[in-house]
Amino acid sequence: MMMMGNTFGSSLASLFFLWATIQQIFPGHLTIAIKEFLLSTIQQLSFVQRFSDRSINFFSPYVEINFSQYEDFQFNHAFAAIETYLGAKATDKAKHLKASQVQESKGLVLKREETKVRDEYEGVNVWWESGTDTIGFRTFKLTFHRRSRDIVTDSYIQYVVEEGKSIQAKNKKMKLFTNNPSSQWDSSKTSLWRYIDFEHPASFQTLAMDPKKKEEILNDLVAFSNGKDYYKKIGKAWKRGYLLYGPPGTGKSTMIAAMANLLNYSIYDLELTAIQNNSELRKLLTATSSKSIIVIEDIDCSLDLTGKRVKKESNLTSLEDGEKAKEEDKSFVTLSGLLNFIDGIWSACGQERIVVFTTNHLAKLDPALIRRGRMDMHIELSYCTFEAFKILAKNYLDLDSHPLFKKIESLMKETKIAPADVAENLMKKNREIDADGSLNDLIQALEKKKKKIQPAQLDEQKDKNRGKMFKAFRMLF
């Protein structure tokens, strides 16, 4: 028994001596690598296996702090700042770089693509390592010597976060997000949202719509973006809802792009059909950032949000038994689940957010979904007016006036045409601007629509006349 104790003490003393020697000889980053190797080896020894992990950690002089990309499915802004800070560090000494060229006119952008990065702050060496957690979210692990704990926790981490946010503000790019299908969320390589840089050129200046209506929307957006104190004063979540409705081609998507460019907000394009249930919807929406626009386009087509779901008998009869069961077992986002996030208790989970619904069929939507207070501003984007045409003529042909404008104005009073159709007729012909040719093309398009409308108007008038005659007949008898 005495011999076993001497052997254990001798082995442990030898390990401590070896560890002290390594710390004196090797630089910091090599010391960490050797430390991890030695601890892994020690843990495999039979006499050490009797000790808990807490005992093993007691012998290590290093402390680790983990930063996850999402915390309880809420986006961790500290993670984003750290990622920006580490990516901005000098690339001239980095061994692994990532090159990209988003626009042809711009040069290559080089960024670090290393899993481990060494940093120094006030004489303290720290090491960052990227990875993924057990759920599959990305993480950064910060490792440092325990004697530097106060410096790291009190000032270094705060310095990194503030520096990262400062770099983000200087180089901020709007992003267009779309949600990954919830069936892929368990994958270590798939996050809730994926994105690209948003570079749409739309602006309120080039938006083809009635100037008074445009000014009203513009003022409302500016008031919202400056309304932090006001919303706090009245006790409401700092969010606003906009319902964009009207026929196809009237500029609903362009309006959203103009809103984003005006406020410098990123866009989250939410695809409801890729979500299984209300719980997943909450996870997805709480993972959005502030200063953003959450968009559900063609909401009348996304899901049945009337509170009732009618099974389609013709489709079910064509499914096999297994497919029937799968179809019936599916769960869907409900109207109440969506409403709870728009203006329920979950609406306060983030600040400075705009929610936008678009639809071509306003009558199909449940009134509870679009009532005032949920969709605060209803914006009808209708057919092209003459005032909107003049904006398009300025955009496409650089024209303020033209002899053909009077004829176009007269035709627009008699027929309906979407701004997208007007823009298509005003586009360059054979790579050159031909004002006369473009305006004549538009006149022809308007005249064709007028000819189609006239028979329909005659039929409508005949129906009205028949109705009046029927009513008069009934009154006689």
Side-chain angles (χ1 to χ4, degrees):
M1 188 74 175
M2 182 72 71
M3 185 174 294
M4 285 183 64
N6 290 337
T7 302
F8 175 81
S10 176
S11 300
L12 201 58
S14 298
L15 287 171
F16 280 138
F17 175 75
L18 177 60
W19 179 246
T21 305
I22 289 171
Q23 286 183 297
Q24 293 294 325
I25 296 175
F26 293 99
H29 60 285
L30 288 178
T31 302
I32 289 180
I34 296 171
K35 180 261 302 188
E36 291 177 350
F37 172 76
L38 286 176
L39 286 178
S40 176
T41 304
I42 291 171
Q43 287 174 325
Q44 297 177 19
L45 298 176
S46 59
F47 70 87
V48 177
Q49 288 177 354
R50 300 173 188 175
F51 293 88
S52 66
D53 290 339
R54 186 177 297 178
S55 300
I56 294 298
N57 290 333
F58 175 77
F59 296 117
S60 172
Y62 289 93
V63 178
E64 295 177 354
I65 300 177
N66 286 291
F67 299 84
S68 181
Q69 186 178 13
Y70 293 97
E71 187 66 31
D72 296 329
F73 290 98
Q74 285 190 306
F75 186 74
N76 186 353
H77 295 281
F79 177 91
I82 292 167
E83 184 177 37
T84 302
Y85 171 81
L86 296 177
K89 291 185 68 64
T91 58
D92 54 347
K93 296 180 181 178
K95 293 183 179 180
H96 301 282
L97 298 170
K98 179 174 65 176
S100 62
Q101 186 178 28
V102 179
Q103 294 181 333
E104 289 187 22
S105 59
K106 293 184 178 181
L108 287 174
V109 177
L110 296 177
K111 296 181 180 179
R112 278 177 173 267
E113 196 177 41
E114 296 179 320
T115 57
K116 295 182 179 180
V117 177
R118 176 182 173 275
D119 195 17
E120 184 177 345
Y121 176 79
E122 295 185 359
V124 174
N125 289 322
V126 298
W127 294 265
W128 292 95
E129 183 176 0
S130 61
T132 55
D133 59 18
T134 54
I135 303 177
F137 294 147
R138 295 172 58 209
T139 62
F140 282 115
K141 181 175 71 176
L142 172 63
T143 304
F144 55 92
H145 198 283
R146 62 188 177 200
R147 66 170 172 259
S148 306
R149 178 191 288 268
D150 290 342
I151 295 176
V152 172
T153 57
D154 292 346
S155 60
Y156 172 67
I157 294 176
Q158 186 65 28
Y159 163 76
V160 170
V161 171
E162 290 179 356
E163 191 70 13
K165 288 181 178 179
S166 176
I167 296 169
Q168 286 175 339
K170 291 178 182 177
N171 305 324
K172 183 178 179 182
K173 287 186 177 180
M174 292 182 296
K175 300 185 183 302
L176 174 61
F177 293 83
T178 186
N179 52 300
N180 286 307
S182 60
S183 58
Q184 300 178 8
W185 290 357
D186 292 335
S187 171
S188 61
K189 295 183 179 179
T190 305
S191 60
L192 303 183
W193 296 94
R194 63 183 184 275
Y195 68 85
I196 60 172
D197 288 339
F198 181 72
E199 297 178 339
H200 198 291
S203 68
F204 273 86
Q205 184 178 357
T206 59
L207 205 59
M209 67 183 302
D210 181 73
K212 290 183 179 179
K213 184 185 291 186
K214 185 192 299 187
E215 185 178 2
E216 181 184 356
I217 299 167
L218 191 62
N219 292 338
D220 191 79
L221 288 166
V222 173
F224 168 78
S225 65
N226 296 326
K228 181 178 181 179
D229 294 336
Y230 174 74
Y231 278 87
K232 185 177 181 180
K233 178 183 177 182
I234 64 176
K236 288 188 66 175
W238 191 10
K239 65 165 190 63
R240 193 151 179 83
Y242 293 85
L243 174 67
L244 310 183
Y245 66 96
T250 52
K252 292 182 286 294
S253 298
T254 305
M255 167 67 77
I256 295 169
M259 292 166 71
N261 285 328
L262 173 71
L263 301 175
N264 201 24
Y265 286 7
S266 290
I267 297 175
Y268 287 85
D269 184 17
L270 179 59
E271 178 53 62
L272 289 176
T273 56
I275 309 170
Q276 294 287 331
N277 50 50
N278 293 335
S279 177
E280 291 180 352
L281 176 65
R282 285 194 296 270
K283 291 177 183 177
L284 202 60
L285 292 174
T286 53
T288 60
S289 64
S290 59
K291 293 183 180 292
S292 61
I293 301 175
I294 300 171
V295 178
I296 304 179
E297 291 200 90
D298 298 319
I299 191 169
D300 54 293
C301 302
S302 298
L303 289 176
D304 181 4
L305 294 174
T306 62
K308 298 179 181 178
R309 188 171 296 280
V310 180
K311 291 184 179 180
K312 297 181 180 178
E313 299 290 342
S314 59
N315 290 341
L316 288 176
T317 54
S318 64
L319 294 172
E320 296 181 359
D321 291 342
E323 292 176 338
K324 285 182 183 179
K326 184 177 179 181
E327 182 73 13
E328 292 174 354
D329 289 340
K330 277 186 179 180
S331 58
F332 296 89
V333 175
T334 65
L335 177 63
S336 62
L338 186 58
L339 296 183
N340 193 30
F341 185 83
I342 295 173
D343 69 344
I345 193 68
W346 282 91
S347 66
C349 70
Q351 295 293 313
E352 200 172 355
R353 286 192 178 98
I354 289 175
V355 180
V356 177
F357 293 162
T358 74
T359 181
N360 296 334
H361 308 284
L362 183 62
K364 290 184 178 181
L365 298 182
D366 192 302
L369 184 66
I370 58 175
R371 69 163 175 80
R372 302 289 178 172
R374 286 175 176 154
M375 291 293 103
D376 303 285
M377 195 171 189
H378 293 193
I379 302 171
E380 182 180 9
L381 297 171
S382 190
Y383 295 104
C384 191
T385 63
F386 182 65
E387 291 298 324
F389 157 74
K390 288 196 292 184
I391 295 172
L392 291 172
K394 181 65 176 177
N395 293 344
Y396 286 87
L397 305 176
D398 199 23
L399 288 178
D400 292 312
S401 63
H402 192 279
L404 293 175
F405 275 18
K406 288 186 178 180
K407 188 170 185 178
I408 291 172
E409 182 179 11
S410 176
L411 285 168
M412 282 187 166
K413 290 178 181 178
E414 299 173 348
T415 187
K416 297 177 180 179
I417 187 170
D421 294 330
V422 174
E424 183 61 30
N425 283 285
L426 299 183
M427 292 283 287
K428 284 183 179 180
K429 307 294 189 294
N430 299 321
R431 299 183 182 180
E432 292 183 2
I433 293 177
D434 178 10
D436 292 340
S438 295
L439 294 176
N440 280 313
D441 287 347
L442 176 58
I443 289 171
Q444 290 179 15
L446 288 167
E447 288 175 341
K448 285 181 181 179
K449 286 185 175 291
K450 182 180 177 181
K451 289 179 181 178
K452 290 180 180 179
I453 288 174
Q454 285 176 341
Q457 288 176 337
L458 288 173
D459 291 339
E460 185 179 351
Q461 187 61 43
K462 286 179 182 179
D463 290 339
K464 288 181 179 179
N465 292 336
R466 289 194 192 101
K468 290 178 180 178
M469 291 176 65
F470 179 72
K471 286 181 180 179
F473 182 77
R474 289 186 63 184
M475 290 177 67
L476 291 173
F477 295 94

